[in-house]
């Protein structure tokens, strides 16, 4: 160590010194300023400094000696004053470490809001397995054997997990499978929603993912008609997005509903004037729905001569996208804390 480094090391030691008792203060004095003390040793070394540097080091060493003396006096005064009370030890000016609280994932927040909205009008929550058999995902729902959804292109089949070996189990492609289970398990009135993860064999892009979340709903009772379906979905979209929002229905096709419809909502981003999100149409598609096909009721042990019902299904990511205006689906699953931290339960209106 050169002279500069030695001085700096002793200065650091002076600053860090603790000496709670008079004995410790004396030990400090001897260790620094005594005959063999560290400061004394540096003062002795002064005689070896080349003449042209004497002025510089003379000043520095004098400062060091002064610093050691005043530190000793400080410690001596503190030791004589007695031990500090616990209160004195608290330094209220010290910067605090801020606690880093976690937050709910935006998809969890939106899923819970959807559940709450339907909970208010008496819908219960049902759950089922993500690895599903052919009957619950397709067969009971009226998918003919050659339906393209049964193709490897669209569905992830799970090898060797079914009762008869390979290929008869799949990752569920929708939570309609849960509705089949609910209908099998009990008679109407049935009023339930099934939130959960679903899987489709899609290339991952800004607009599609191979895993996403759905909330599907089912209402079966005596005399349920299309008007109840429309009223329910109107209530849902206004509760979720605000009272000024309108819906419209377009005829569509699903194997398990007849008639079937696609539901569009007036674009919340531009208020219906036209923007890139609604592709300048003023409307965005938010879900599929329809009256439960009588054959599906019969497949599940419910008499279609007595009961009728409606069903609907929506993607939670899609709803979140319209609430939060996050255009790229992939952001939801990259787990970037800077993205996730922006969502709190009160961050959107409604
Ligand atoms: N199961 C359909 C889907 O996954 C959605 C749907 C549910 C449509 C219920 C109509 C009725 O796309």
């Amino acid at each position: 160590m050169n002279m500069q480094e030695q001085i700096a090391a002793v200065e650091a030691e002076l600053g860090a010194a603790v000496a709670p008792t008079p004995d410790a203060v004396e030990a400090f004095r001897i260790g620094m300023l005594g005959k063999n003390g560290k400061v004394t040793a540096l003062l002795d070394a002064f005689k070896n400094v080349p003449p042209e540097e004497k002025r510089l080091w003379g000043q520095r060493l004098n400062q060091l000696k002064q610093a050691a003396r005043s530190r000793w006096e400080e410690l001596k005064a503190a030791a004589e004053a007695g031990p500090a009370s616990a209160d004195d030890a608290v330094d209220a000016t010290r910067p605090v470490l801020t606690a880093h609280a976690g937050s709910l994932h935006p998809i969890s927040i939106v899923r819970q809001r959807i559940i709450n909205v339907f909970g208010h009008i008496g819908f219960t929550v049902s759950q089922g397995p993500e690895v599903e058999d052919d009957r619950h995902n397709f067969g009971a729902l009226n998918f003919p054997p050659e339906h393209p959804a049964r193709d490897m292109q669209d569905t992830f089949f799970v090898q060797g997990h079914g009762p008869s070996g390979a290929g008869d189990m799949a990752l569920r492609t929708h939570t309609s499978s849960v509705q089949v289970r609910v209908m099998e398990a009990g008679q109407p009135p049935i009023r339930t929603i099934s939130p959960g993860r679903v899987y489709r064999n899609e290339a991952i892009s800004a607009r599609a993912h191979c895993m996403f979340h759905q909330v599907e709903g089912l209402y079966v009772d005596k005399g349920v008609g299309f008007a109840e379906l429309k009223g329910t979905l109107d209530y849902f979209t206004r509760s979720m997005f605000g009272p000024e929002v309108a819906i419209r229905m377009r005829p569509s096709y699903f194997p398990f509903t007849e008639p079937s419809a696609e539901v569009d909502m007036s674009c919340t981003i531009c208020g219906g004037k036209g923007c890139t999100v609604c592709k300048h149409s003023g409307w965005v598609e938010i879900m599929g729905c329809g009256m439960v096909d009588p054959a599906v009721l019969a497949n599940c042990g419910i008499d279609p001569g007595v009961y009728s019902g409606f069903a609907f299904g929506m993607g939670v990511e899609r709803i979140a996208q319209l609430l939060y205006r996050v255009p790229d689906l992939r952001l939801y699953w990259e787990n970037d804390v800077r993205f996730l931290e922006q969502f709190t339960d009160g961050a959107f209106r409604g």
Side-chain angles (χ1 to χ4, degrees):
M1 272 202 282
N2 63 29
M3 187 68 122
Q4 176 57 36
E5 287 163 352
Q6 290 180 59
I7 292 174
V10 174
E11 276 172 348
E13 215 175 302
L14 291 177
V18 276
T21 61
D23 283 352
V25 174
E26 183 57 6
F28 168 83
R29 191 195 61 79
I30 293 169
M32 289 294 169
L33 297 161
K35 228 165 72 187
N36 300 314
K38 289 180 182 168
V39 176
T40 314
L42 280 171
L43 293 171
D44 285 349
F46 180 68
K47 59 180 181 291
N48 304 323
V49 167
E52 67 276 16
E53 291 181 18
K54 287 246 190 252
R55 228 185 104 175
L56 170 73
W57 296 120
Q59 268 175 12
R60 289 285 285 123
L61 287 166
N62 255 329
Q63 283 165 0
L64 181 68
K65 195 164 115 185
Q66 278 310 317
R69 284 239 171 97
S70 52
R71 183 79 180 118
W72 169 56
E73 272 157 22
E74 246 172 59
L75 290 170
K76 199 161 97 166
E80 279 163 9
S85 75
D87 283 349
D88 293 342
V90 174
D91 177 359
T93 64
R94 254 179 83 172
V96 287
L97 295 173
T98 41
H100 196 88
S103 56
L104 283 177
H105 192 280
I107 296 301
S108 304
I109 295 173
V110 175
R111 182 190 51 199
Q112 192 54 48
R113 282 204 58 201
I114 297 171
I115 291 172
N116 292 348
V117 167
F118 284 107
H120 285 306
I121 53 170
F123 280 76
T124 59
V125 172
S126 310
Q127 282 179 313
E130 289 180 27
V131 178
E132 192 50 283
D133 56 50
D134 185 276
R135 171 179 157 73
H136 289 95
N137 198 73
F138 297 125
L141 290 163
N142 244 2
F143 282 81
E146 69 285 357
H147 194 283
R150 292 179 179 241
D151 195 275
M152 299 283 278
Q153 292 293 317
D154 292 317
T155 301
F156 291 112
F157 287 94
V158 180
Q159 296 295 310
H161 279 76
S164 62
D168 54 1
M169 298 292 278
L171 298 184
R172 67 181 177 197
T173 59
H174 50 187
T175 59
S176 304
S177 55
V178 182
Q179 308 185 340
V180 174
R181 290 180 177 276
V182 171
M183 288 190 281
E184 283 172 343
Q187 287 296 306
I190 293 168
R191 208 186 298 161
T192 192
I193 51 171
S194 40
R197 245 177 252 148
V198 301
Y199 303 85
R200 291 182 197 176
N201 193 359
E202 306 254 9
I204 295 170
S205 71
R207 299 174 57 95
H209 208 287
C210 58
M211 182 280 295
F212 62 100
H213 295 75
Q214 276 191 330
V215 175
E216 294 217 353
L218 174 72
Y219 182 24
V220 186
D221 204 348
K222 287 180 184 148
V224 176
F226 206 88
E228 276 87 13
L229 170 60
K230 190 166 184 196
T232 303
L233 298 184
D234 196 41
Y235 155 78
F236 164 74
T237 41
R238 282 155 179 262
S239 307
M240 214 55 199
F241 293 96
E244 69 280 14
V245 161
I247 58 168
R248 72 175 185 188
M249 287 167 151
R250 285 177 288 114
S252 185
Y253 172 77
F254 298 101
F256 37 89
T257 45
E258 180 58 39
S260 305
E262 256 1 298
V263 181
D264 294 341
M265 176 180 82
S266 53
C267 182
T268 52
I269 312 277
C270 63
K273 287 190 211 66
C275 65
T276 48
V277 173
C278 62
K279 300 197 200 86
H280 300 285
S281 70
W283 296 92
V284 286
E285 189 184 313
I286 54 166
M287 67 178 106
C289 68
M291 301 307 295
V292 182
D293 194 304
V296 172
L297 294 176
N299 285 342
C300 301
I302 291 173
D303 183 351
V306 178
Y307 296 108
S308 59
F310 65 72
F312 56 87
M314 71 189 93
V316 181
E317 281 80 350
R318 179 91 183 119
I319 305 291
Q321 212 168 15
L322 293 168
L323 283 169
Y324 292 133
R325 307 178 187 197
V326 175
D328 190 328
L329 273 182
R330 290 169 294 195
L331 283 166
Y332 287 112
W333 310 119
E334 279 169 4
N335 286 337
D336 185 328
V337 174
R338 291 167 302 176
F339 172 75
L340 297 174
E341 269 179 349
Q342 298 175 60
F343 302 93
T344 61
D345 219 347
F348 49 82
R349 63 181 227 261

